[in-house]
Amino acid sequence: MVTAVAGRRAKSRRLAEALAMRPAVLTDGRSPAPRAIGDLLTGLRRVGASAISPPVCAECGKKLRTFQRQGQDWYCSVCGQETTECTACGNVRRIGFRDRKGLPRCKMCPDNDNRDPVTVVHEVITAIAPDADRDVIAEALRRTAPQRPTYRQRVVWALEENPCLLTGEGYLAPHRAILRFIDLLHEAGVAGIVRPACPRCHRVVRIDKPLEGQRVCRNCIAKSRIEECVRCGARREPATRDAQGRPLCPNCLIREPANRETCTVCGESRMVSCRTAEGPICPNCRPLPILLCSICGRTGPCTLSKLTGLPRCGGCDRRPAHCTVCGRLRGIHSGTADAPVCGPCTTPDAGLWRPCPTCGQAERLHAPGPCPRCTLKQRLHEILADDTGSVSPKLRPLHDDLASTERAGTAMSWLSKGIVATVLSDLGSGRRPLSHEALDELPEGKVVEHIRSVLVATGALPKRDEQMVRLERHVKDLVASHATVEGRKILHRYATWHLLRRLRRRSRGKEITHYQLQVARQHLRAAVYLLNWLAGRNLTLATCRQTDLERWMTSDDVRLRLEAGHFVRWALSQKIARDLSIPAVRWNGPSQAMDVEARWDTARRLLDDDTLKSEDRLAGLLLLLYAQWPAAISRLTVDHIEETDGVVRIRLGAVPVDLPAPVAELALQQVEFRRSHAVLGRTDSPWLFPGGQPGRPISAWAMGERLRKLGIRLAESRSTALFQLATELPAAVLARTLGIDITVAVKWQRAAAGDWGAYAAEVSRRTTAEQT
């Protein structure tokens, strides 16, 4: 009964607070108390809880089955009625209704009007539109309030008193049903009937909210209720109030810990979208039903189309195509993958699809004005145009790419966020030069990085290694922050001529990975920690002795000890330090146990489970079967997949590898249906796993997180795969096939006790014996 009465968590919390504040209400049934308490008492009595008191009238003390409320108090039907002097007879009685002037009357003095309401309103409308059909007016009046004839009579009285309500002054309507009546007449095509505009924003939209004697739209009501949030200080319409009655904005309501629970899928504390037997699930993890898509014919997570009622997968829902009926590039709503049909051709309803006044194409327009696509083009021209009113040739590809993006609403939302419009406007007007250096002067953050990636993807800016630039900036800041002059010189020499130089040589002109960036940062920070410790004891690398170094290595505050050994050995080779030795860790094979059965069980699940995303299944199989790190998987392109004579191969190293049939099917499916997560600045990405930034692959970290959510332990799974492959293949073949270094292949082969050198000698002896 508590669950049936309380419902959601917010109401349950208010019910619990009221019961905890005054538990005696369960036995005395007296108000003041929230409505939920009264419903709970009535419900408990109905199911046989005889010890629970029913609600009690606050005035006469009568026990109630149903009650009326005035604030927090409960009243019976007699005490709860408002009494006043009747306008007709003058007696003080309960108000039965109000007359056409809004004055109170008792039940004994009705305001009778023997005229036909349809005839009265028809005379009013024919004064505006002489050709108005009586039957149309009668049907509109009936639909205005189907079950309330008295209310319809009040509508007729109001229209008779002020006919201008029908010609544009509907915002002065005393009853909400008058606006409904005007809409029905306008839809029926009655001439002269004008839908009223909001008196504040002047938009012709739904206006049914009373404000200062007028009817206004929902947006104007929200603006009139603006208050300052007590937590974040934002000035918005309050979404709720705290225990002290202070306003809270919608963002703070969402972040309220009491409104969040731990999602059983992702483990994050989020708002609850649905509840299952296992526990609550957040909106991001809410599962969709597995159905057969009515368009592409693939089985996967689908939603039901509002137009056709048939299932449609996410790929078909977001992918535009040229309609086979009208030939325009639109979203797919029906048909097949080879013969798609757009929404207006699926359901050619004039009330649903209206022509845009700018481009003339049929769209779902919820408000007067241009469609979202035309609005986006106008906004882009306002932002990117220079003083002459034209867009610069360098920014023209950016303008065209954003204007043709699949989701115009998302592009508009992106342009309205933070400093996006300001930065693009400065670039378009010439106030800020179009260069990487100019963007580097802006505050660091994801917004600026996304603007840079969009400019690079559209060709407005040249490509550059952002990880290397980020590392160079980090080196500069870290070196400059060191206290001593000698230490800054050593750190600059170590970072510039050793770490960065070696990193550029190993990358061979390619972009460095996030893992390489992190390793270089750790080596540099380890050097800083050691130099800071030496400086605190008036020592330098030249004056440091072995006892000092060992004292630092055994101290409690030592950090990055192994990485600092790399710096010490470099200092010894450069004659900066002398007579020092620091232990180095030699790799002698995997340190964890090899769980081969768990590896194969996970691989079988990825091969057979169609509910998982195909890109996640392919990436997991590349790790489990071919020992590829997430960094290597994320950098694969469509050119790495080859299909010749029905055989699908993948090129991980110098020699292509034949893929078995299930993995080959996933690879071909990924090549054909891969989809970039970047909504803005989307190009024909060459990456097999496109990322969230335009023109870039998925990051190694994001790829690793997706594999971890599948239950794959990255390091352990790769070690197991590499260990087993090393026992079956020679080191040279392993290196050429998997794209790893030959020295690494040799070490893994020795760790797996699979020395193929002895095998080669044995084969050589067999051949010699056969020849003799």
Side-chain angles (χ1 to χ4, degrees):
M1 182 55 62
V2 172
T3 304
V5 170
R8 296 183 178 273
R9 286 178 59 86
K11 191 173 181 181
S12 301
R13 203 158 45 242
R14 290 194 296 268
L15 179 64
E17 290 174 355
L19 289 175
M21 186 179 299
R22 201 174 76 85
V25 70
L26 295 173
T27 55
D28 59 27
R30 294 191 174 276
S31 56
R35 172 62 184 264
I37 294 292
D39 294 337
L40 179 63
L41 297 180
T42 305
L44 291 176
R45 293 280 300 182
R46 187 170 61 250
V47 296
S50 58
I52 300 296
S53 171
V56 174
C57 178
E59 187 170 336
C60 66
K62 178 183 177 180
K63 295 184 178 181
L64 309 174
R65 293 183 179 179
T66 60
F67 57 90
Q68 301 176 5
R69 285 193 312 140
Q70 294 181 8
Q72 293 276 319
D73 292 322
W74 306 328
Y75 294 94
C76 62
S77 59
V78 176
C79 300
Q81 289 288 340
E82 180 184 359
T83 59
T84 187
E85 183 179 351
C86 176
T87 305
C89 63
N91 296 323
V92 178
R93 295 178 177 176
R94 288 184 294 175
I95 298 177
F97 47 85
R98 295 184 180 271
D99 60 12
R100 67 191 68 187
K101 296 181 180 180
L103 300 178
R105 291 197 179 203
C106 64
K107 292 184 178 180
M108 304 299 295
C109 304
D111 187 4
N112 295 323
D113 189 351
N114 296 324
R115 298 176 298 171
D116 183 12
V118 176
T119 303
V120 175
V121 76
H122 181 257
E123 293 177 357
V124 174
I125 294 177
T126 52
I128 303 172
D131 298 333
D133 189 355
R134 177 185 172 90
D135 295 336
V136 172
I137 296 174
E139 178 63 18
L141 184 61
R142 185 194 65 81
R143 292 174 59 188
T144 299
Q147 306 297 330
R148 302 174 65 185
T150 305
Y151 188 47
R152 287 201 302 268
Q153 186 67 61
R154 295 178 190 173
V155 170
V156 173
W157 287 340
L159 294 175
E160 184 183 17
E161 182 178 355
N162 185 11
C164 294
L165 297 175
L166 299 172
T167 58
E169 296 184 5
Y171 60 89
L172 298 175
H175 308 294
R176 182 184 298 178
I178 294 178
L179 300 172
R180 171 67 173 162
F181 183 58
I182 294 173
D183 290 338
L184 292 174
L185 292 177
H186 188 270
E187 292 176 3
V190 179
I193 304 299
V194 180
R195 294 183 62 201
C198 177
R200 297 204 170 198
C201 65
H202 308 291
R203 296 184 305 147
V204 182
V205 293
R206 181 180 179 182
I207 52 172
D208 55 359
K209 307 296 181 183
L211 179 63
E212 298 178 357
Q214 297 177 337
R215 298 279 176 176
V216 299
C217 65
R218 180 64 184 85
N219 288 346
C220 293
I221 280 289
K223 292 178 182 178
S224 68
R225 298 173 180 172
I226 288 178
E227 296 183 54
E228 183 176 341
C229 179
V230 295
R231 294 191 180 178
C232 66
R235 293 187 56 80
R236 301 180 63 182
E237 180 186 13
T240 186
R241 297 183 181 273
D242 60 7
Q244 290 76 33
R246 298 175 299 179
L248 292 177
C249 68
N251 290 338
C252 293
L253 172 64
I254 294 175
R255 291 193 292 264
E256 176 69 29
N259 295 330
R260 293 177 167 230
E261 295 185 49
T262 302
C263 176
T264 56
V265 178
C266 63
E268 299 289 337
S269 179
R270 300 180 185 273
M271 296 285 288
V272 177
S273 176
C274 63
R275 299 181 184 276
T276 63
E278 292 75 17
I281 298 179
C282 69
N284 293 342
C285 302
R286 181 176 182 176
L288 293 175
I290 306 300
L291 301 172
L292 180 65
C293 179
S294 61
I295 298 176
C296 64
R298 291 187 297 167
T299 302
C302 295
T303 57
L304 296 180
S305 172
K306 294 181 180 179
L307 294 182
T308 62
L310 300 176
R312 183 173 56 171
C313 66
C316 296
D317 185 20
R318 295 185 295 266
R319 183 174 64 252
H322 288 280
C323 177
T324 54
V325 178
C326 63
R328 294 176 178 175
L329 182 65
R330 295 177 179 272
I332 303 173
H333 286 264
S334 62
T336 62
D338 299 329
V341 180
C342 66
C345 296
T346 299
T347 307
D349 186 358
L352 184 63
W353 310 95
R354 291 181 292 168
C356 171
T358 303
C359 62
Q361 295 190 9
E363 299 289 346
R364 298 189 70 175
L365 301 179
H366 302 284
C371 65
R373 180 76 56 191
C374 295
T375 304
L376 174 61
K377 292 180 180 179
Q378 294 175 6
R379 180 59 176 158
L380 285 172
H381 191 272
E382 293 174 0
I383 294 176
L384 299 177
D386 55 16
D387 298 336
T388 62
S390 60
V391 180
S392 167
K394 292 185 178 179
L395 294 176
R396 174 56 63 178
L398 171 66
H399 175 278
D400 297 340
D401 193 67
L402 290 178
S404 61
T405 186
E406 295 179 6
R407 302 181 185 178
T410 304
M412 284 293 296
S413 176
W414 180 67
L415 291 175
S416 63
K417 287 183 179 179
I419 61 173
V420 175
T422 304
V423 173
L424 294 181
S425 179
D426 292 343
L427 295 175
S429 61
R431 292 188 296 268
R432 186 183 300 275
L434 185 59
S435 63
H436 285 289
E437 292 73 16
L439 294 181
D440 291 338
E441 297 175 358
L442 297 172
E444 295 185 18
K446 293 184 177 179
V447 176
V448 176
E449 292 303 318
H450 197 272
I451 294 174
R452 189 196 307 272
S453 63
V454 171
L455 292 172
V456 171
T458 56
L461 285 178
K463 293 183 179 181
R464 74 172 187 178
D465 192 346
E466 293 298 329
Q467 300 280 21
M468 181 62 74
V469 173
R470 195 174 293 116
L471 179 59
E472 292 174 349
R473 190 183 303 121
H474 179 74
V475 166
K476 182 179 178 181
D477 296 339
L478 200 60
V479 171
S481 64
H482 192 67
T484 64
V485 177
E486 182 182 358
R488 287 196 293 271
K489 291 181 179 179
I490 294 176
L491 287 175
H492 179 269
R493 183 177 172 184
Y494 173 62
T496 304
W497 300 106
H498 182 66
L499 293 179
L500 294 179
R501 182 167 174 260
R502 184 179 63 170
L503 198 56
R504 289 192 181 97
R505 184 178 68 250
R506 289 184 175 181
S507 62
R508 299 176 183 176
K510 299 180 181 179
E511 294 186 3
I512 65 174
T513 64
H514 180 73
Y515 177 75
Q516 291 174 315
L517 172 67
Q518 291 298 104
V519 170
R521 281 183 172 181
Q522 289 180 357
H523 286 167
L524 186 59
R525 283 200 299 268
V528 172
Y529 294 153
L530 178 57
L531 291 178
N532 288 340
W533 187 86
L534 293 175
R537 288 154 181 78
N538 297 323
L539 294 173
T540 63
L541 279 177
T543 60
C544 178
R545 294 295 175 261
Q546 185 65 29
T547 55
D548 301 323
L549 183 61
E550 291 177 357
R551 189 164 68 251
W552 172 76
M553 288 190 296
T554 56
S555 61
D556 295 334
D557 58 346
V558 63
R559 288 184 289 180
L560 300 176
R561 182 189 295 109
L562 298 178
E563 289 76 6
H566 183 273
F567 172 64
V568 172
R569 287 187 288 273
W570 171 84
L572 291 171
S573 65
Q574 298 297 316
K575 310 298 184 189
I576 299 176
R578 59 188 181 88
D579 299 334
L580 295 179
S581 64
I582 189 168
V585 178
R586 182 183 298 276
W587 187 81
N588 293 320
S591 58
Q592 299 179 348
M594 298 294 155
D595 194 348
V596 180
E597 290 300 325
R599 170 188 172 228
W600 285 114
D601 290 341
T602 306
R604 294 187 191 97
R605 180 168 64 89
L606 295 180
L607 288 172
D608 300 333
D609 193 350
D610 294 335
T611 61
L612 301 177
K613 294 182 178 180
S614 59
E615 56 265 31
D616 293 345
R617 296 167 62 191
L618 177 61
L621 290 171
L622 291 177
L623 172 64
L624 293 170
L625 302 181
Y626 302 102
Q628 296 297 301
W629 271 117
I633 298 174
S634 64
R635 289 176 174 268
L636 292 175
T637 66
V638 293
D639 295 335
H640 287 87
I641 306 296
E642 305 172 358
E643 183 181 11
T644 55
D645 300 331
V647 179
V648 180
R649 299 180 178 87
I650 185 170
R651 183 164 44 83
L652 303 174
V655 179
V657 181
D658 293 351
L659 293 177
V663 185
E665 182 180 353
L666 289 175
L668 294 178
Q669 183 177 345
Q670 180 64 14
V671 171
E672 182 179 359
F673 298 105
R674 75 189 189 283
R675 183 175 181 85
S676 173
H677 298 283
V679 178
L680 306 175
R682 179 173 296 175
T683 57
D684 293 332
S685 176
W687 304 105
L688 188 62
F689 299 94
Q693 291 188 348
R696 298 186 61 83
I698 186 174
S699 65
W701 179 85
M703 176 63 74
E705 285 298 309
R706 296 179 68 165
L707 295 179
R708 290 187 188 95
K709 289 182 179 180
L710 296 177
I712 300 176
R713 298 180 179 180
L714 304 182
E716 181 179 342
S717 299
R718 181 179 183 270
S719 299
T720 304
L722 203 54
F723 188 87
Q724 186 169 355
L725 291 173
T727 60
E728 300 172 355
L729 297 174
V733 177
L734 191 67
R736 292 197 305 268
T737 304
L738 302 184
I740 61 178
D741 192 80
I742 184 62
T743 57
V744 176
V746 170
K747 290 181 179 179
W748 272 100
Q749 190 177 76
R750 291 175 178 173
D755 191 354
W756 285 80
Y759 174 76
E762 177 64 23
V763 171
S764 176
R765 286 194 295 271
R766 291 178 189 172
T767 305
T768 305
E770 291 175 357
Q771 291 177 352
T772 58

